[in-house]
Amino acid sequence: MSQFTAHSADTAAIATIRALAADVVGKANSGHPGAPMGMAPVAHVLFTRFFNANPKSSKWFNRDRFVLSNGHACALQYILLHLLGYKLSLDDLKQFRQIDSLTPGHPEAGHTDGIEVTTGPLGQGFANAVGLAIAQAHLGATFNKDGYDLINNYTYMFTGDGCLMEGVASEAASLAGHLQLGNLIAIYDDNHISIDGDTAVAFTEDVEKRFQSYGWQTLHVDNGDSDLEAIYNAIAEARKEKSKPTLIRLRTTIGFGSKLQGTHGVHGAPLKADDIKALKSKFGLPSDQSFYVPKETYDAYHEVAARGAKLEAAWNDLLASYSQKYPTEYSELTRRISGKLPDNWEKLLPVYKPTDAAQASRKLSEIVLSAIVPSFPELVGGSADLTGSNLTRTKTMVDFQPESTGLGSYKGTYIRFGVREHGMGAIANGLHAYGGIIPFVATFMNFVSYAAGAVRLSALSGHQVIWVATHDSIGLGEDGPTHQPIETAVHFRALPNLDFWRPADGNETSAAYHSALTRKHTPSILSLSRQNLPNLEASTIERALKGGYVVHEVQGEDLTIVSSGSEVSIALEAAQKLNAEGVKTRIVSLPCWSIFDLQPAEYRLSVLRSGAPILAVEALSTLGWQKYSHEAFGLTGWGASGPYTKVYEKFGLTGSNIAEVGKKVVDFYKKKGGEVISPLVKAI
C-alpha cells in the first residue's frame, strides 16, 4: 500500500459532506446530523482511497462491502452514494425521510441502490458485517485458485458507541475473533455521545482491551476530525492483518463545525438555520446555498467510480479466463451467484408412507438435510451450541474454522456459533446478503426469541434465512416452562414476510424445506418436535405445500378440527372417537399460515368451509387461531416439567379430552342455532 497522498479536493469534499449532512437533515426537519458530520473525514478517506466498487454495477460480486451499523447516520451513506454516482440523485437527498423516497430514515437493503444490509437497530449491522466477512472467506476458499483470486473483497463497517453497547455486537465480535476474519475492518466512531448525553453516564469500559480479548487487532486515531494521514495509515495497517479482524477506534467530534459540536444536542436533531449558515461559511462554502456540491468534489468521486468500473472489467476478464481453466467451478460459482438451485434437487426430498415409523420432526429435518446437503453446497449454517439436539450437522459436513485451529477449514459449511442466538441470526442475514449462500441456523424454538431482532430484520430485508427450531412445545417435557415455548409461535406468525412452519409428519417436513429453499426473499422458521410423530394417511409434499389441507374428510360434518405439528395426530385420535360416537368430524392440518393465506380463496374455503364449527387445537397459546377457527383449545399459561405424555395429559391435550371439548363445541353451536359461516368469510 502506497503512502498517503493529499488530493486537492480533500478539504472541499469533506466540507461538502458535512454541509450536505446538515442540509439533508435540516430540510427533513428530522434525522441525525452529528455522526455524519463527525465521520465525514474517515468516510472520504475510505471511499476515495480504499473502497473497491462500481457504482454503475452495484451488484458486482467481488465489490467491497460497506455496512453502516450506526444506521441513524444514514445521511452520510446517502451522500456518499450520491457523490459516487449510484442511483441516488440530489433530489433524492432532498426527499430524506419522506414517504416513498429512496432515502428512508434508516438504510434499507433492496430499496436504495448501494445499500448492502438494513441497519438502524443498533448492533445488527455489526453482526451482519461478520456474516459478510464469513461469506467472503468461505467462497474465496471454495473457488479461488492459484492466479485466480476471484473473491477477495474486504468488509468495512462503521459502528458507534450504541452498537458496541448492544449484546448482539458482542456476540458477533467474539465469534469473528475466534474465526480470525482478517477481511473485516470495523471503524468505531468514538465520539463519547449517546442520546442520554456523554457516554460517561453508562459506557466507560476500555473498548480496545475488550476487542483485544476477543482476538481482534486494535488501532486508534486520536484526531478523526482532520488527520487524514493517520486515518489512511490506520486503514492501510488494518488491511495488512490477515488473521485477525481489526477495530479502529476513531476519536471524533460529533457534529463537527456546528455551534453544538461535541454535545448530544447535535446527535438526533436538525441544526438551526443560523448554525448551518455559519458552518458553511467556516468551511468556505456558499452560506446562502443549500445542497451545494462543488464541481471538484463531484470530479474526485467520479474518479473513484471510474476506478471501480476498471476493477470490475478486469475481474470479468479474470472470471472469463477462470471459466476456461476451471469450467466446473465456474459453472457452480455462477449458478450460486445467480441464485439458481441445483437441478432436480426436489427429487432428493424424502417421501413417506403412513406405515413408515413415527419419528420426531427434528429427526425428519436431519434426514432432509442428510439427503440434500451433498448436492446443496450453498447451504451454510450451524447451531447455537445445540448440534446434538437440533440434529443439523450431517455426516458430509466439515466445520467452518481457520485451518490453524485444526478444527476445519474455511471451505467448511458448518458454523459452530456457540451460545450466541442473536448474533447467529444477525450473522445469517449477512451471509445471505453477500450472495451465493443460503444460511440455516438452529436452536431450541424458545430461544429463537433471543434472536427476535435479527429475525425481524430478515423478514424486513427479504433474507432467506432458514431457522431449524427444535423442541417446539410442551412436548419437550422435563426441561419445563423455562424452555417450553408458549407465545413464541404467535410472535413469529405475526411477522410480515416470514413463513412459520410447524410440520406434523415426514412429508410436511419435506414440504417445509421445499418452501424454505424456494422462497428466495422470505425467511422461514421450521418449528420441530422433540417427540415422535406418526406419518399421516393423507399427507403429501404437494398438499402440504399449500400451507393447509384436509387430512381426514367426511361429508355433512358436525365439526372440523384444525391443528398443526404434533397435535394433528392427537386431533385425528379425537376424530376417531367422535366419529365412532356419531359426531362427524373432519381434520385439517395447517402447517404454515402464511403459505395457506397465499392460496386462492376457493381453495381456502374448501379446507375451512362453512357449515359446521371449526375448533383449533395446539399445544401453544391459541392467540391468532381466531382467523381460522370459531373456537380454540391450547395453553392459557405456562407449561410444566415432567415426561411429555404426562405434561400433555395435565393440559388436556389428549385424544379423549379433545373429543370431549369437540362435543361441547358442537353442542354450543347447535343450541346457538343459525348458519355457521367459515371464519375466513370476512368483509375486509
Side-chain angles (χ1 to χ4, degrees):
M1 182 65 63
S2 61
Q3 295 296 310
F4 173 75
T5 302
H7 191 290
S8 60
D10 285 340
T11 300
I14 293 168
T16 300
I17 293 169
R18 284 171 164 154
L20 281 175
D23 282 340
V24 165
V25 175
K27 185 175 188 303
N29 197 31
S30 174
H32 302 75
M37 294 169 70
M39 297 194 80
V42 69
H44 174 71
V45 171
L46 174 63
F47 279 88
T48 59
R49 304 315 203 272
F50 296 99
F51 200 75
N52 294 330
N54 181 4
K56 301 305 179 189
S57 177
S58 61
K59 295 300 182 183
W60 169 36
F61 197 69
N62 197 43
R63 67 192 180 276
D64 286 337
R65 269 54 168 193
F66 175 73
V67 175
L68 186 73
S69 187
N70 46 342
H72 55 272
C74 58
L76 174 63
Q77 191 169 14
Y78 297 149
I79 290 164
L80 291 166
L81 292 173
H82 167 68
L83 294 177
L84 287 164
Y86 286 83
K87 296 173 184 174
L88 206 66
S89 69
L90 202 60
D91 284 340
D92 290 322
L93 295 184
K94 294 175 182 178
Q95 291 300 306
F96 180 57
R97 290 190 163 215
Q98 305 307 301
I99 293 292
D100 296 329
S101 80
L102 293 176
T103 48
H106 291 86
E108 296 180 25
H111 181 77
T112 307
D113 189 36
I115 300 295
E116 300 287 356
V117 291
T118 300
T119 60
L122 295 175
Q124 293 290 332
F126 193 111
N128 295 164
V130 174
L132 289 164
I134 291 172
Q136 184 281 320
H138 170 68
L139 291 170
T142 302
F143 291 104
N144 290 351
K145 307 287 185 183
D146 287 342
Y148 292 93
D149 205 16
L150 277 175
I151 303 172
N152 62 359
N153 68 280
Y154 284 90
T155 294
Y156 298 96
M157 173 246 299
F158 285 180
T159 189
D161 292 302
C163 294
L164 298 187
M165 293 185 219
E166 288 285 0
V168 64
S170 299
E171 291 179 22
S174 174
L175 185 60
H178 164 74
L179 293 174
Q180 302 175 20
L181 298 174
N183 56 356
L184 174 62
I185 299 172
I187 299 173
Y188 160 39
D189 180 26
D190 179 21
N191 61 34
H192 286 208
I193 294 295
S194 65
I195 292 175
D196 276 2
D198 194 293
T199 52
V201 302
F203 191 55
T204 53
E205 68 190 42
D206 189 325
V207 171
E208 287 191 63
K209 286 184 179 178
R210 171 154 69 100
F211 274 75
Q212 287 167 14
S213 75
Y214 289 152
W216 287 55
Q217 171 180 237
T218 62
L219 305 170
H220 59 266
V221 176
D222 291 328
N223 176 11
D225 295 332
S226 59
D227 193 345
L228 304 191
E229 184 173 3
I231 293 170
Y232 177 94
N233 290 340
I235 298 173
E237 186 68 21
R239 287 164 56 95
K240 292 177 186 176
E241 175 57 70
K242 302 303 181 185
S243 61
K244 292 181 179 181
T246 296
L247 178 82
I248 301 172
R249 182 179 61 78
L250 184 76
R251 189 72 175 91
T252 67
T253 302
I254 191 169
F256 184 88
S258 164
K259 296 175 183 178
L260 297 176
Q261 72 174 36
T263 72
H264 72 278
V266 77
H267 168 77
L271 306 186
K272 303 295 184 185
D274 64 329
D275 194 3
I276 296 175
K277 285 186 176 183
L279 74 86
K280 288 178 180 177
S281 295
K282 185 187 304 183
F283 292 150
L285 299 173
S287 62
D288 59 343
Q289 293 188 43
S290 296
F291 294 91
Y292 173 76
V293 182
K295 181 178 182 299
E296 62 179 321
T297 298
Y298 275 131
D299 289 345
Y301 277 84
H302 291 167
E303 286 177 18
V304 175
R307 182 186 75 204
K310 289 179 181 178
L311 287 170
E312 183 182 8
W315 187 84
N316 287 334
D317 290 342
L318 185 67
L319 183 64
S321 176
Y322 182 87
S323 73
Q324 298 299 311
K325 192 167 184 179
Y326 302 103
T328 301
E329 290 86 347
Y330 168 81
S331 177
E332 180 65 11
L333 174 61
T334 52
R335 177 190 71 78
R336 288 175 63 170
I337 291 173
S338 73
K340 183 179 182 294
L341 300 182
D343 291 337
N344 302 314
W345 70 273
E346 301 97 327
K347 295 179 181 178
L348 301 171
L349 291 171
V351 177
Y352 295 86
K353 306 183 299 296
T355 53
D356 289 335
Q359 298 187 83
S361 53
R362 64 169 174 153
K363 180 64 178 177
L364 296 166
S365 165
E366 180 187 36
I367 293 169
V368 173
L369 288 172
S370 297
I372 67 175
V373 159
S375 300
F376 246 108
E378 59 263 53
L379 273 175
V380 176
S383 167
D385 197 49
L386 287 169
T387 297
S389 295
N390 301 144
L391 306 179
T392 38
R393 191 181 188 277
T394 68
K395 293 179 180 178
T396 61
M397 286 179 169
V398 173
D399 280 8
F400 177 87
Q401 298 275 8
E403 289 197 5
S404 62
T405 65
L407 299 171
S409 80
Y410 284 162
K411 290 182 180 179
T413 58
Y414 195 78
I415 301 171
R416 304 285 184 167
F417 285 103
V419 189
R420 303 182 180 100
E421 293 89 354
H422 199 181
M424 174 175 70
I427 287 169
N429 289 341
L431 287 169
H432 184 261
Y434 190 91
I437 289 173
I438 300 175
F440 71 93
V441 291
T443 185
F444 287 177
M445 182 70 243
N446 196 52
F447 302 128
V448 182
S449 295
Y450 272 156
V455 176
R456 187 176 188 274
L457 284 179
S458 294
L460 176 61
S461 307
H463 290 313
Q464 185 185 14
V465 177
I466 301 171
W467 282 84
V468 179
T470 68
H471 298 62
D472 79 331
S473 75
I474 57 172
L476 66 84
E478 290 84 352
D479 276 343
T482 59
H483 285 52
Q484 292 165 350
I486 304 299
E487 79 297 343
T488 317
V490 177
H491 174 189
F492 292 119
R493 281 167 170 162
L495 272 186
N497 191 41
L498 181 132
D499 293 336
F500 185 93
W501 282 88
R502 192 161 184 259
D505 74 348
N507 289 328
E508 289 192 10
T509 303
S510 290
Y513 271 100
H514 185 290
S515 175
L517 289 166
T518 53
R519 298 266 284 167
K520 294 184 179 181
H521 302 289
T522 301
S524 300
I525 295 176
L526 278 52
S527 179
L528 306 170
S529 74
R530 182 192 183 204
Q531 71 271 37
N532 289 343
L533 308 179
N535 288 295
L536 308 178
E537 288 280 351
S539 81
T540 65
I541 294 176
E542 182 181 14
R543 287 174 180 164
L545 281 171
K546 294 182 182 296
Y549 64 104
V550 180
V551 293
H552 179 72
E553 183 65 282
V554 297
Q555 298 302 318
E557 69 274 10
D558 300 302
L559 177 70
T560 292
I561 302 177
V562 60
S563 189
S564 80
S566 46
E567 288 70 68
V568 174
S569 56
I570 295 173
L572 283 164
E573 182 185 341
Q576 187 176 20
K577 295 179 182 296
L578 288 166
N579 284 313
E581 296 178 27
V583 181
K584 295 182 178 180
T585 305
R586 60 199 290 272
I587 302 296
V588 169
S589 177
L590 204 67
C592 186
W593 296 5
S594 54
I595 294 294
F596 183 70
D597 290 347
L598 294 175
Q599 306 309 309
E602 183 180 4
Y603 174 78
R604 288 184 284 115
L605 285 167
S606 73
V607 174
L608 297 174
R609 63 197 183 200
S610 300
I614 299 172
L615 167 66
V617 174
E618 194 171 45
L620 303 169
S621 167
T622 61
L623 186 65
W625 276 107
Q626 295 80 2
K627 181 177 178 180
Y628 306 101
S629 66
H630 301 97
E631 305 287 341
F633 185 86
L635 274 290
T636 57
W638 304 114
S641 174
Y644 88 88
T645 53
K646 298 296 184 182
V647 178
Y648 267 71
E649 288 174 11
K650 173 180 173 65
F651 293 105
L653 287 156
T654 63
S656 297
N657 189 59
I658 297 304
E660 292 303 312
V661 172
K663 284 189 279 189
K664 289 180 182 178
V665 171
V666 171
D667 290 344
F668 175 85
Y669 281 87
K670 283 184 176 178
K671 290 177 181 176
K672 182 181 178 184
E675 185 180 3
V676 180
I677 304 297
S678 168
L680 299 182
V681 178
K682 301 287 186 183
I684 56 173

